[in-house]
Structure formats: structure tokens, C-alpha cells
Amino acid sequence: MGKTTAAITAVGSYVPEHILTNKMLESMVETNDEWITTRTGIKERRILKEEGQGTSFMAIKAAEDLIKKSNLDTESIDMVLVATATPDQPVAATAAYVASEIGAKNAFAYDLQAACSSFLYGMSTAASYIESGRYKKILLIGADKMSSIIDYTDRATCIIFGDGAGAVLFEGNEEGLGLQDEYLRSDGVGRNFLRIEAGGSILPASEETVKNNQHYVYQDGKTVFKFAVSNMAEVSAKIMERNSLTKDDVTWLVPHQANKRIIDATANRMGVEPEKVMMNIQRYGNTTSATLPLLLADYEKQLKKGDNLVFAAFGGGFTWGSIFLKWAYNS
């Protein structure tokens, strides 16, 4: 028998109905459509507005979409991994609740948090479990309700983020398809430039932290942009070099949707043409852990068995990396 690789065999997605456009943001903060579009590539984003609905709601919807499309028996799922920076609650794992709600009663479940790199790291984790031979079906979901941690009076962050969820199923493959290589990195200097200051063990929630708006995302935009541009481009070029891939060998670049200028810089470094770059930032903004699976869902019908996909992401912490994956099925 040959080596078992971990392949994506099904995809699902969910985005909320409410659309927050650039025009609507003009009435909330000092900004305009042209400024936002030029600097980020974003035209609108989806917001989960219904009271009492959190990240798990979207994760369940994305999982149910995958289950319906692939006719998956939920009792055959061995593991549910939820990549998220916005869990429903501290302590109680969102993934455990999601697994129970979708009927994955034979699965164990936990959350994975690496900011905008969460789903990318989750791919590595899911693939390792599959390759070990211990588990056969792993459901990986990337979901974030970023609107729950965004200050809509802060134009530096409120124009960027949106809500959404995407899901993929990982299974073993004997044809050499699936995850081929990964190059994952991190640097703790990043906690100074992209963070939520309060609510953790260093600065627990108090009346004062709430009054001071310390429970919202803070971003030093220029520094984060500089780190993201250089590092996402570097790891993507590195994964190509390590696997002897030319720009012609890359069928698709699947980049984290943080900023169109970062995406363009990564594609340019790789030498990949614009038509080979997956992009939906204009419609969803930055959905953090959900950007990569939402791209796969949007482009699924264009994907063919054997296609070479290069994933790239950059997130708070800092965390970043690239994964080379061969697509395993024709839609």
C-alpha cells in the first residue's frame, strides 16, 4: 500500500443575509466607498445581526450545507475541528456544541485559534490526524462572527471585517492527492500590533475595561500590512520552491482575504496571473477563519481533480503560512 494522504472531499458554506455596504459605513464613520475600495478591495461584508446567534450558528449552517451536498452520514464523522477567533463562549468549546447539533455523535471536537491563520493551521491538524490512520473523516470548519468584536466607530477596523463560515471534509486518499506540503510560521512580536487588550487572563473584564472599549479589535494597520505583505509572499514562494512548482504548475492561489493589495503582492511574488487568484473579498470582507473555506465554496465548480492549489494566510500573533494541496475531485 502507498502512503495515505489527506484530501478535501466536500465543501460547504454559509454567510448571513444582512449586507453592510461601503455606502452604509459612510454614515457611521468618516470614510467613503472610493477610499475603502482603493485600499482594501472591499465593497460589502455580511453581518450576523440576529440576537442570540453566534459563531456556532454559522458553523452549523456551513456544516449542514456540506452534509446535504455530499450526502454525508454524520455518525461517520470522527472529529469536528472549529477554527475560530470568536468562540461562542470562553471555556466551553464551540466545536463540541457544533458536533452535537449536526448529529456527529461519534466525533470528538475542539476549537483551534490562530487568528486569521486558524483555518490554515486547522488544515495541517486535520491532515495529520488522517495521515496517522487513526481517523477517517474529519470535519474542519472555519467560522467567525467578527462583528461581535469590532468597534463600529473605529474606521481602521470596521471597514475590514465581516461574518461567515465555511466547512471542508478531510478523508484519506491513496492516489497521492490532497495535502502535499506545508510551511507554517509564527512570531510573538505580533501581539503588540493586532490584539484585543481586555477579556483575557492578563486584563480580565471589568466595568472600566468595558467603558474604555478594550474588548474590541485593535490593529496597527501599517505595521500589520507590512508584515503581512512580506510574510505571505515569502511563504508562498517558499512552498513553490520546495515542491519545484513553476507559476504554470499552480492552478489556483487561495489567499486569505485580508486586503486586496496583500493578495496582489503575494500573487506577484509567485508570478501567478490574476485569473488564477481566488478572490471574494469584495463581497465578504475579511471573515478571518472563514476566508479560505468560503473561497473553496465559491470556486468549487471550477476546481478539477489534480489541480494544484497554494493556500496562504497571515493573522494576529503573528501567525502565517502556506500549504500546497492537490484537489481530489471534480464537482
Side-chain angles (χ1 to χ4, degrees):
M1 287 179 64
K3 182 191 173 204
T4 298
T5 50
I8 292 173
T9 58
V11 176
S13 66
Y14 173 80
V15 289
E17 291 181 11
H18 180 76
I19 298 172
L20 178 60
T21 65
N22 289 350
K23 193 72 181 170
M24 293 162 75
L25 281 168
E26 288 178 10
S27 64
M28 297 163 65
V29 290
E30 189 181 336
T31 191
N32 60 70
D33 174 63
E34 184 188 8
W35 192 91
I36 297 170
T37 305
T38 302
R39 283 161 180 77
T40 69
I42 302 167
K43 298 296 281 186
E44 58 188 42
R45 64 290 290 147
R46 301 298 183 100
I47 305 295
L48 185 64
K49 290 184 78 74
E50 288 71 21
E51 196 172 331
Q53 292 181 355
T55 293
S56 65
F57 174 82
M58 296 185 293
I60 290 164
K61 289 285 190 185
E64 288 174 342
D65 182 48
L66 181 151
I67 291 161
K68 183 180 177 183
K69 282 165 56 182
S70 62
N71 199 26
L72 176 66
D73 175 8
T74 55
E75 293 188 16
S76 71
I77 300 171
D78 298 307
M79 174 186 177
V80 176
L81 186 62
V82 173
T84 185
T86 56
D88 283 2
Q89 304 171 351
V91 184
T94 300
Y97 177 71
V98 171
S100 295
E101 289 297 298
I102 64 173
K105 63 183 186 182
N106 294 315
F108 73 103
Y110 64 88
D111 297 350
L112 191 154
Q113 204 284 81
C116 293
S117 301
S118 296
F119 188 84
L120 190 80
Y121 284 21
M123 290 175 67
S124 170
T125 304
S128 297
Y129 277 115
I130 294 290
E131 289 165 5
S132 76
R134 282 181 294 178
Y135 305 107
K136 298 188 184 315
K137 294 180 190 286
I138 296 178
L139 183 64
L140 170 62
I141 304 167
D144 268 307
K145 185 182 176 182
M146 292 302 294
S147 61
S148 67
I149 55 172
I150 295 300
D151 178 0
Y152 284 92
T153 65
D154 176 16
R155 69 173 183 173
T157 55
C158 74
I159 65 170
I160 298 168
F161 296 97
D163 303 338
V168 302
L169 182 68
F170 270 95
E171 295 185 83
N173 183 277
E174 306 299 330
E175 301 176 86
L177 302 171
L179 199 146
Q180 306 294 306
D181 193 18
E182 62 181 48
Y183 186 62
L184 308 178
R185 315 297 299 155
S186 64
D187 186 343
V189 71
R191 75 188 295 175
N192 298 316
F193 306 111
L194 179 53
R195 66 179 190 270
I196 294 177
E197 195 171 8
S201 59
I202 292 176
L203 188 60
S206 67
E207 187 178 348
E208 194 168 328
T209 63
V210 174
K211 278 182 183 174
N212 293 337
N213 287 340
Q214 289 171 283
H215 295 269
Y216 294 122
V217 170
Y218 161 79
Q219 176 171 278
D220 178 340
K222 286 183 179 177
T223 303
V224 173
F225 179 84
K226 186 175 76 174
F227 268 89
V229 166
S230 61
N231 286 312
M232 253 179 75
E234 181 194 353
V235 292
S236 302
K238 180 92 171 175
I239 209 89
M240 287 177 68
E241 181 188 333
R242 282 192 356 180
N243 293 277
S244 302
L245 297 171
T246 67
K247 66 183 181 66
D248 296 325
D249 296 321
V250 177
T251 318
W252 293 100
L253 169 62
V254 190
H256 170 53
Q257 305 288 289
N259 183 302
K260 188 177 183 296
R261 291 185 293 165
I262 297 172
I263 296 167
D264 290 344
T266 302
N268 288 338
R269 175 75 182 274
M270 296 168 67
V272 172
E273 298 89 344
E275 57 269 23
K276 289 183 172 185
V277 180
M278 292 189 185
M279 188 106 64
N280 58 17
I281 191 172
Q282 67 278 10
R283 290 186 290 128
Y284 303 141
N286 181 354
T287 54
T288 304
S289 307
T291 64
L292 299 181
L294 281 175
L295 284 173
L296 293 179
D298 281 359
Y299 284 81
E300 186 184 15
K301 289 179 180 174
Q302 297 181 55
L303 294 171
K304 297 179 179 64
K305 186 175 180 178
D307 280 356
N308 292 325
L309 276 58
V310 173
F311 293 78
F314 183 90
F318 290 126
T319 59
W320 71 97
S322 183
I323 283 176
F324 168 35
L325 178 139
K326 283 185 177 289
W327 196 247
Y329 65 95
N330 294 313
S331 297

